């Protein structure tokens, strides 16, 4: 999973030595490994670079395509937005 999120070369470093974006990628690796049908995520794009945002988008699309559900609280646009989306608020 670390290889899938671009951290395979940093697997031996303690997480405290990684950047904020790299620590967020550890969270994405956990999503890859976790078979949970429901994701509840708060600001999932925070500290991710453009590649990390695209990676999250692919993970989310795959999760939804396989019958998963996701509740995301975010102030950032999810581009591209999931096909099945309900927006609450402004």
């Amino acid at each position: 999973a670390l290889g899938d999120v671009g951290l395979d070369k940093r697997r031996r470093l303690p997480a405290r030595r990684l950047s904020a974006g790299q620590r967020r990628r550890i969270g994405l690796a956990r999503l890859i490994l976790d078979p949970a049908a429901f994701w509840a995520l708060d600001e999932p794009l925070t500290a991710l670079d453009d590649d990390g945002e695209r990676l999250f988008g692919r993970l989310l699309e795959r999760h939804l395509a396989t019958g998963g559900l996701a509740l995301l609280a975010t102030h950032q646009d999810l581009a591209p937005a999931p096909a099945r989306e309900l927006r609450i608020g402004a």
Side-chain angles (χ1 to χ4, degrees), residues 11 25 32 40 44 53 76-77:
R11 72 177 57 240
R25 284 176 180 259
I32 291 169
E53 289 183 10
Q76 297 170 282
D77 286 331

Side-chain angles (χ1 to χ4, degrees), residues 22-35:
Q22 290 168 329
R23 287 192 303 267
R24 294 296 284 207
R25 284 176 180 259
I26 290 173
L28 296 180
R30 288 178 179 152
L31 288 177
I32 291 169
L33 295 173
D34 188 355

Side-chain angles (χ1 to χ4, degrees), residues 48-82:
L48 290 176
D49 59 9
D50 291 341
D51 289 337
E53 289 183 10
R54 284 189 290 275
L55 172 62
F56 175 75
R58 290 191 302 273
L59 292 175
L60 179 60
E61 287 175 10
R62 184 173 64 197
H63 180 67
L64 296 175
T66 58
L69 299 172
L71 174 65
L72 309 176
T74 184
H75 292 92
Q76 297 170 282
D77 286 331
L78 296 174

